[in-house]
Amino acid sequence: MTNALRIQDLTVEYKTRRGVARAVDRVQLSLEENRTLGLAGESGCGKSTLGRAIMRLVPHPGQVAGGNIYINIDDDIPCKKGDIPKGEVDITGLNEEQMRVLRGKEIAYIFQDPMTSLNPMLTIGNHFIQMIQAHNPEIEKEEALDRGKEVLEGLGILPERVTDYPHQFSGGMRQRVMIGLGMVLRPRLLISDEPTTSLDVIVEAQILEQMAELKKTFNLTMILITHNLGVLAQTADDIAIMYCGRIVELASTENLFEAPQHPYAQALLLSVPDVTKPNKKLVWIPGAPPDLVDPIPGCMFNPRCPMAMDICKTQVPPLIESETGGLVACHLYGGK
Amino acid sequence: MDKTKLVSGIFFQLTPKKEAFEGRSGKWWFALLILVGLALAFIAGLILVAVGSNSGMGLQVVTGTFIIGFLVLGGRAGSRYVVEQGVVTKKRAFAWFIGFCLITTIAVSVASFVFLPASAFDLWFVLVTGGFTLGVMVIVLYDFYPVLRERGNPGLAVTAGILLVLSIVYMTFIAYWIVPHDPFTLDVGRPLAPPSSSLPFGTTSLGQDLFSRTIAGGAIMLQVAVVSVIVCFFIGVPAGLGAAYRGGMVDRVVSLLMDSIFAFPGLVLAIAIAAMLGPGIINMAISIAVVYVPSYYRVIRSQVLSIKELPYVEAAVVMGARDWEILFRYVLPNALPSAVVILSINFADAILTAAGLTFVGLGFPIDVADWGYDLTAGWGVLVIGKWWLMTFPGIMIVLLALGFTLAGEGLSEILTPKLRE
Amino acid sequence: MALIEAKNIKMYFPVQRGFIDSLFKGETTFVRAIDDVSLQIEKGETLGLAGESGSGKTTMGRLCVRLLKPTEGQIIYDGEDIGKIKGKELRLLRRRLQFTFQDPTSSLNPRLSVGNAIADALKFQRLGTPAERKEKAEEVLEKVGLSPASSFYDRLPHQLSGGQKQRVVFGRAIIMEPEFVVTDEPVAMVDVSIKAQLLELMLDLKKDLDLTYLFISHDLATARHVCDRIAIMYLGRVIELGDRNQVYENPLHPYTVGLIGAIPVPDPKARRSEAIPPGEIPSPINPPSGCRFHPRCPKCMEKCKTEDPEFREVDTGHSVACHLF
């Protein structure tokens, strides 16, 4: 299996007035083709920043402070400012024009907010035409529109609605359009950032199901960023749990829910209410995450960790292979 | 805090942490230089002028105001010291400070009456106002500057703007005691004499000393600006608050009125009203106020409209708050910052409009020293090459407007909520 | 006897129109946020009100604390129709009915210290001297878990975390020792790791102060952990009401079945139920005829398209509005 994505030592920093906040801290990650990786964690853990860094769209004042992001490309991609060779490409070294060519075509990103991500002055069809023609100017309008209709149909939107404007759609419909726009160029890697968070459960379930269908037909590799572990349990193949900019555990979905290794992952799973288990005693994690501008030494989770040892307060635990075949960053493991 | 720190604190906090200056850009240093340099140069210039004053008491007046200014600063530093020592609460210390200022005022007044000759009785007013202006300036440096500096460049702009404005205010207060010639005396030199070493800014067409007139000419403009802005604020803010909170028909009618005022070109409207009311500080202020009321109204109205939909207002309703309690405790404090920003920017507009009014002849008669008047007179003689008559008062107007604009724009950047980091 | 009883409540909001538009068109259209709902809340229970956005659940909650006046129908609290109360009496009523908002950040005045935010409730009611109010507010801060109270009293809301702000909101609601509290999505905006802590606080407060809750939530998984009874709303109607075990384990209405089936379960082995209803909740301006759910219902019959099903009890304490039962 080839890796669709490989991230090495990626660090993203935000320069704030109070100091530098490290939102993503030396993240290592590789993602096999055709798999769905779930990125989970609480607000402020850096999961969205990581997703945006892969698109090279970290919002100001953030910037990639180090590390490499490699993606795999099948064919040479022509570009005005230097063609992109096939094979593994480090996108941190590409220029803006090369990035523009890659965005949408090789990597696509679905934003969280469907209300503001569509241009209210353009019909849905025009969105698709613009999207397609920006990358393949040779494609005719009619054909572009047909491709758009095809994707929309897969997402449960009637093809004749392409002449409608965004405000004529409900929130769930708009999110579907966003997903369709992300998928229409058949990118290899699709990053979706909380695609269903603002939606109701029924619509959420419908969309997740349709996304899974499309992923199969389009052979997509997907990163699903969400705080909702329930959603990940139903859709992801692997799950990475992030805490304070670091990946603390990465495991296959079954293993993570069966036997979480990291104390944070364990506590997080116990805190999720489950509608099928009314007698589950919900737990919580005492305290709050540390300030990223003023990080603490050692493992970031140590002040809240029930199993903290002395070493946790001084040394950052490396990400090592766990007993269940995943990766975990905790001093409890690794025979130290 | 020990005593040495207290002393150094008085001297403009000369012991800030090293990192405050590390990694600053060249632009920042340049701005700092201008900020401190401008105010210091201004004050130094005034002292120089005071040495050769016409009244013969210029230096004494300046010294007196400086003493009062530093007394005020000392009082402020002392009250902060006792708070930091934990002796009294912040509120109590502030009350002490106010009391201290009052006592200083009374002491200066009494001393003036006792020691000064009858002809110089009004000196106490100059001493007190000038002294307190100076006091406020040093307090700005001492108290606000470290706070504002944290806010980056906008903070610097606000401090610079406030200092510039206060310097001009100070100059205006003490003007009559430090000018080298009486601004009204005719034939100090040859009429329309160009700048020379004895008359640095030249003379007017009546032979008055333009330098003295430039120093003394700010009084009218400042008064007009202050009065008009206050009038604007106290009409525009309540109107916006009431209309937006009430809504419905009241809102529609008031908005229509304000929008129709807004539709007029500002200066033309001011001229029309000023022509109707006749000359005078209050009349000029009113005609300017009418022009600018809609900008307060609009800002406050839109703020209140969005604030009154917020859950915390509803939460107050659930707690059983009365309408006025909601307005003054929950709505107004959150809407006011934007009005304050408008206010500080508005000062600059008011000054320029006041200058415009005098320029078209709706200002003051010859017996008042006023930049606007000299500007008008200068315009008439500009064509025959007498450039100085227009230039120097013009520069003062620009400086004053610049000060207010700097303060206003900086303030708006600080107070406008940005994305939290 | 029920503590609070809603009788045939209707709440219609006129659709906002432009000034000129309103001059020319005579008829106003209405959003039917609540259309004929009757509910009873017993003293001491926690009634959950669940449904999708647009179902009218928040409007219902606001009606119960008299933040809104119903267009039609009555809300009887302690034998009195609260829609008719005005002025001073209304202010006194506010002591007994409280409401907490979904977003703790926007429900606290950013320029008011949290201590004052809590003490304000007493101030508006003219209870006690300033010193007494402060003392009482500190007591409440401790009670909601913000201790030591003196270190929190003077803090501004932006200096607190989301969970702490929500605690302040609870504190503000309970300082007057109310009898009935409507909580609108109290844990929707906080991180999952502290959700359980807040829910526990809610239940502790309920025990201490003998409260009755109306718990509004779109998150049925959370609602199952807190509520005694659950009412499911759809498009301005209550379509199913019952004991929590009845509703979750034996849902009757096809919509309830779909809603519960759609909840993502944090267990990869759990099978998602197939019966996710298609489409989305229609506009409450023009609700469908007959049963409002019929265009999406998998078990739709001819009767459903024309006849509005009656809301009736099919089992002890378990009512449903569906022609199937």
Side-chain angles (χ1 to χ4, degrees):
Chain A
M1 271 303 225
T2 43
N3 283 335
L5 174 75
R6 194 157 60 84
I7 295 175
Q8 247 179 13
D9 278 328
L10 184 71
T11 301
V12 181
E13 286 174 347
Y14 286 92
K15 287 213 169 68
T16 69
R17 205 166 275 143
R18 291 190 301 128
V20 175
R22 203 169 256 207
V24 174
D25 191 5
R26 281 163 294 169
V27 161
Q28 311 269 6
L29 192 67
S30 55
L31 177 57
E32 279 175 17
E33 266 181 9
N34 296 336
R35 282 182 86 83
T36 300
L37 173 76
L39 266 184
E42 294 176 276
S43 50
C45 73
K47 55 189 193 300
S48 279
T49 306
L50 178 58
R52 281 166 165 267
I54 299 169
M55 277 300 265
R56 287 250 312 258
L57 285 175
V58 180
H60 183 80
Q63 57 187 55
V64 174
N68 307 89
I69 303 165
Y70 299 97
I71 61 164
N72 235 319
I73 293 174
D74 281 340
D75 284 311
D76 293 348
I77 298 176
C79 173
K80 273 181 251 163
K81 291 184 180 161
D83 294 353
I84 306 164
K86 68 178 176 185
E88 210 168 51
V89 176
D90 179 7
I91 64 168
T92 54
L94 298 181
N95 61 39
E96 257 320 296
E97 178 63 21
Q98 288 171 323
M99 243 358 258
R100 191 192 68 74
V101 174
L102 281 189
R103 280 186 206 126
K105 198 169 195 174
E106 294 294 325
I107 337 167
Y109 195 94
I110 297 169
F111 286 92
Q112 189 169 355
D113 186 4
M115 294 299 163
T116 54
S117 305
L118 293 171
N119 182 347
M121 302 300 288
L122 290 182
T123 62
I124 300 305
N126 275 333
H127 276 98
F128 278 96
I129 293 169
Q130 280 199 352
M131 181 79 186
I132 293 170
Q133 290 192 336
H135 292 276
N136 308 73
E138 73 281 359
I139 293 181
E140 296 288 317
K141 265 189 182 175
E142 286 72 31
E143 202 197 327
L145 205 56
D146 284 343
R147 286 196 195 180
K149 283 179 184 169
E150 187 192 341
V151 176
L152 286 180
E153 220 171 352
L155 287 161
I157 296 180
L158 295 175
E160 55 263 31
R161 292 206 69 182
V162 291
T163 52
D164 285 355
Y165 286 89
H167 70 90
Q168 290 166 297
F169 284 78
S170 68
M173 289 295 200
R174 276 183 240 195
Q175 190 61 58
R176 288 185 164 98
V177 171
M178 288 304 298
I179 293 167
L181 282 171
M183 286 186 169
V184 71
L185 288 167
R186 310 201 169 200
R188 292 170 65 93
L189 181 62
L190 179 72
I191 304 164
S192 45
D193 187 358
E194 308 265 10
T196 55
T197 300
S198 54
L199 306 174
D200 283 309
V201 278
I202 290 182
V203 182
E204 178 177 55
Q206 291 166 351
I207 289 184
L208 289 174
E209 211 164 82
Q210 286 154 346
M211 270 177 92
E213 286 289 312
L214 282 175
K215 179 187 169 284
K216 234 182 267 165
T217 40
F218 284 11
N219 278 332
L220 288 175
T221 311
M222 199 153 85
I223 295 180
L224 188 65
I225 300 168
T226 178
H227 68 279
N228 191 334
L229 287 164
V231 166
L232 288 185
Q234 308 296 323
T235 47
D237 300 316
D238 305 290
I239 293 178
I241 306 267
M242 285 186 79
Y243 187 76
C244 289
R246 294 175 193 158
I247 289 181
V248 294
E249 180 158 2
L250 184 120
S252 72
T253 305
E254 286 80 31
N255 286 340
L256 185 83
F257 281 94
E258 190 78 15
Q261 303 286 303
H262 197 281
Y264 177 64
Q266 290 165 358
L268 203 58
L269 285 175
L270 286 175
S271 70
V272 182
D274 185 344
V275 76
T276 56
K277 299 190 185 88
N279 298 324
K280 176 176 174 182
K281 175 94 177 105
L282 299 183
V283 301
W284 65 79
I285 307 173
D291 187 358
L292 287 177
V293 174
D294 184 22
I296 53 172
C299 172
M300 290 283 219
F301 189 57
N302 84 63
R304 302 172 79 185
C305 184
M307 284 171 264
M309 303 173 288
D310 283 342
I311 187 174
C312 301
K313 293 182 179 112
T314 51
Q315 280 185 35
V316 179
L319 200 60
I320 55 167
E321 197 142 319
S322 71
E323 289 157 23
T324 55
L327 297 169
V328 64
C330 181
H331 287 303
L332 287 174
Y333 308 98
K336 277 196 183 167
Chain B
M1 198 157 100
D2 54 33
K3 265 188 192 137
T4 51
K5 254 194 172 165
L6 174 68
V7 172
S8 69
I10 290 175
F11 289 102
F12 313 151
Q13 308 225 341
L14 282 176
T15 49
K17 282 180 210 125
K18 220 179 179 181
E19 56 261 30
F21 297 102
E22 272 170 11
R24 294 292 188 177
S25 63
K27 258 194 273 177
W28 188 85
W29 283 106
F30 185 65
L32 186 74
L33 199 75
I34 290 188
L35 153 70
V36 179
L38 209 62
L40 284 184
F42 216 102
I43 302 295
L46 288 180
I47 295 172
L48 263 179
V49 171
V51 174
S53 70
N54 169 45
S55 62
M57 290 188 48
L59 213 51
Q60 287 90 322
V61 170
V62 172
T63 318
T65 53
F66 264 76
I67 291 171
I68 296 170
F70 275 92
L71 268 176
V72 171
L73 176 67
R76 176 74 194 102
S79 74
R80 194 152 117 175
Y81 179 70
V82 287
V83 170
E84 271 168 28
Q85 292 291 304
V87 183
V88 289
T89 61
K90 239 180 184 171
K91 267 185 196 158
R92 182 70 55 80
F94 188 71
W96 283 6
F97 173 60
I98 297 291
F100 174 78
C101 291
L102 280 176
I103 291 168
T104 316
T105 311
I106 293 166
V108 171
S109 317
V110 170
S112 308
F113 281 110
V114 173
F115 295 111
L116 289 175
S119 63
F121 266 177
D122 58 335
L123 194 58
W124 74 268
F125 176 74
V126 172
L127 282 177
V128 170
T129 49
F132 275 101
T133 314
L134 215 56
V136 173
M137 275 173 78
V138 270
I139 286 178
V140 165
L141 276 173
Y142 171 64
D143 254 2
F144 290 2
Y145 178 59
V147 178
L148 292 177
R149 193 188 51 207
E150 309 251 305
R151 306 293 200 140
N153 295 342
L156 214 57
V158 173
T159 322
I162 293 176
L163 286 184
L164 189 57
V165 168
L166 287 179
S167 318
I168 294 175
V169 171
Y170 174 65
M171 177 183 83
T172 309
F173 274 132
I174 62 166
Y176 284 90
W177 297 93
I178 61 163
V179 285
H181 299 278
D182 188 319
F184 309 118
T185 313
L186 305 181
D187 295 323
V188 173
R190 196 165 45 80
L192 288 173
S196 63
S197 56
S198 58
L199 299 168
F201 287 3
T203 59
T204 67
S205 51
L206 298 174
Q208 295 153 319
D209 176 27
L210 185 61
F211 185 56
S212 305
R213 285 180 73 84
T214 305
I215 290 176
I220 302 293
M221 213 148 266
L222 278 168
Q223 285 176 56
V224 169
V226 168
V227 173
S228 74
V229 165
I230 288 175
V231 170
C232 263
F233 189 83
F234 282 98
I235 293 176
V237 171
L241 205 61
Y245 194 73
R246 234 16 34 213
M249 218 48 213
V250 181
D251 183 31
R252 282 217 171 115
V253 170
V254 181
S255 294
L256 202 66
L257 184 74
M258 292 292 176
D259 284 350
S260 47
I261 294 176
F262 203 73
F264 276 99
L267 191 57
V268 175
L269 184 65
I271 288 170
I273 297 170
M276 214 161 67
L277 294 175
I281 289 175
I282 300 292
N283 289 350
M284 243 169 118
I286 288 173
S287 48
I288 293 168
V290 170
V291 176
Y292 291 108
V293 160
S295 42
Y296 290 84
Y297 172 78
R298 287 184 150 199
V299 166
I300 286 288
R301 180 173 172 270
S302 68
Q303 283 281 321
V304 172
L305 279 183
S306 59
I307 289 170
K308 79 170 184 178
E309 298 300 324
L310 286 175
Y312 62 74
V313 172
E314 241 177 1
V317 174
V318 178
M319 290 189 280
R322 293 148 185 86
D323 270 354
W324 61 269
E325 283 168 330
I326 295 175
L327 263 184
F328 289 104
R329 202 166 164 86
Y330 285 75
V331 178
L332 190 61
N334 291 295
L336 215 50
S338 45
V340 170
V341 169
I342 294 279
L343 183 137
S344 48
I345 296 173
N346 217 212
F347 264 113
D349 289 337
I351 281 166
L352 296 177
T353 314
L357 282 182
T358 342
F359 187 79
V360 295
L362 291 166
F364 291 87
I366 300 175
D367 60 340
V368 179
D370 179 36
W371 294 331
Y373 176 79
D374 284 338
L375 201 68
T376 322
W379 191 59
V381 296
L382 185 67
V383 282
I384 51 169
K386 317 289 183 190
W387 55 270
W388 54 91
L389 205 51
M390 204 174 175
T391 308
F392 297 111
I395 287 176
M396 290 313 295
I397 292 175
V398 169
L399 277 182
L400 190 55
L402 177 74
F404 279 124
T405 311
L406 272 178
E409 296 288 339
L411 212 58
S412 84
E413 250 178 79
I414 289 173
L415 292 180
T416 311
K418 282 199 185 144
L419 285 176
R420 286 251 164 73
E421 53 264 2
Chain C
M1 200 191 105
L3 178 73
I4 193 160
E5 185 178 5
K7 280 186 183 164
N8 301 90
I9 293 292
K10 285 185 184 169
M11 186 76 223
Y12 294 175
F13 296 102
V15 176
Q16 281 287 330
R17 290 189 299 168
F19 176 62
I20 296 177
D21 197 23
S22 65
L23 285 179
F24 292 107
K25 273 190 204 160
E27 236 169 84
T28 328
T29 43
F30 288 98
V31 176
R32 299 170 184 212
I34 304 279
D35 209 354
D36 201 4
V37 165
S38 298
L39 266 184
Q40 291 190 340
I41 304 169
E42 304 296 329
K43 189 159 174 51
E45 77 167 340
T46 301
L47 176 70
L49 203 54
E52 293 178 275
S53 44
S55 62
K57 55 189 193 305
T58 300
T59 310
M60 195 63 214
R62 294 153 75 99
L63 282 165
C64 287
V65 294
R66 184 57 163 78
L67 269 171
L68 292 171
K69 248 190 197 171
T71 319
E72 253 177 63
Q74 292 174 312
I75 291 182
I76 312 284
Y77 174 77
D78 214 6
E80 254 184 302
D81 179 2
I82 62 170
K84 292 209 179 90
I85 293 178
K86 269 187 268 184
K88 194 156 188 281
E89 273 177 64
L90 180 61
R91 195 164 297 124
L92 289 176
L93 182 77
R94 299 260 185 241
R95 295 184 191 175
R96 301 161 71 187
L97 306 176
Q98 280 295 315
F99 192 94
T100 71
F101 295 86
Q102 174 174 9
D103 178 8
T105 307
S106 62
S107 65
L108 290 172
N109 182 348
R111 282 167 206 281
L112 208 57
S113 78
V114 298
N116 282 330
I118 292 178
D120 260 10
L122 299 175
K123 189 176 169 183
F124 295 150
Q125 297 286 351
R126 306 286 184 266
L127 292 169
T129 62
E132 283 167 11
R133 283 181 217 146
K134 184 170 177 179
E135 199 182 316
K136 177 84 184 161
E138 281 185 345
E139 210 175 279
V140 167
L141 277 172
E142 297 270 355
K143 199 177 235 165
V144 294
L146 296 173
S147 69
S150 51
S151 80
F152 280 98
Y153 196 90
D154 286 321
R155 285 207 217 168
L156 290 173
H158 73 90
Q159 292 165 309
L160 301 183
S161 70
Q164 288 171 328
K165 277 185 246 182
Q166 195 59 288
R167 283 163 188 273
V168 175
V169 171
F170 280 132
R172 187 172 60 185
I174 60 150
I175 187 165
M176 287 184 289
E177 294 172 3
E179 291 162 8
F180 176 61
V181 180
V182 176
T183 58
D184 186 5
E185 311 261 9
V187 292
M189 308 284 269
V190 299
D191 271 322
V192 61
S193 70
I194 53 169
K195 223 175 229 184
Q197 203 174 6
L198 282 172
L199 293 176
E200 184 148 309
L201 172 72
M202 271 184 67
L203 296 179
D204 283 350
L205 291 175
K206 181 184 165 182
K207 225 178 283 166
D208 280 3
L209 299 165
D210 202 12
L211 296 173
T212 305
Y213 280 129
L214 178 64
F215 185 89
I216 299 170
S217 179
H218 70 278
D219 178 1
L220 281 118
T222 308
R224 177 155 209 189
H225 281 88
V226 235
C227 301
D228 303 319
R229 285 196 304 151
I230 285 238
I232 309 284
M233 286 191 76
Y234 184 76
L235 215 56
R237 287 269 170 87
V238 172
I239 51 128
E240 185 159 358
L241 170 73
D243 193 56
R244 74 169 151 189
N245 289 331
Q246 288 172 333
V247 173
Y248 282 99
E249 267 147 42
N250 182 24
L252 296 176
H253 199 285
Y255 176 69
T256 316
V257 176
L259 196 62
I260 292 172
I263 302 167
V265 178
D267 180 0
K269 276 177 267 167
R271 294 270 308 162
R272 202 190 267 284
S273 100
E274 270 103 74
I276 298 169
E280 286 179 41
I281 193 164
S283 152
I285 295 174
N286 238 332
S289 62
C291 171
R292 298 177 168 218
F293 188 59
H294 87 256
R296 301 171 70 189
C297 186
K299 294 176 183 166
C300 176
M301 303 175 288
E302 268 316 301
K303 197 178 170 192
C304 303
K305 291 179 188 163
T306 50
E307 224 174 288
D308 209 352
E310 203 184 320
F311 186 64
R312 62 179 148 241
E313 196 161 343
V314 290
D315 194 359
T316 334
H318 194 174
S319 313
V320 68
C322 182
H323 287 306
L324 288 171
F325 305 97

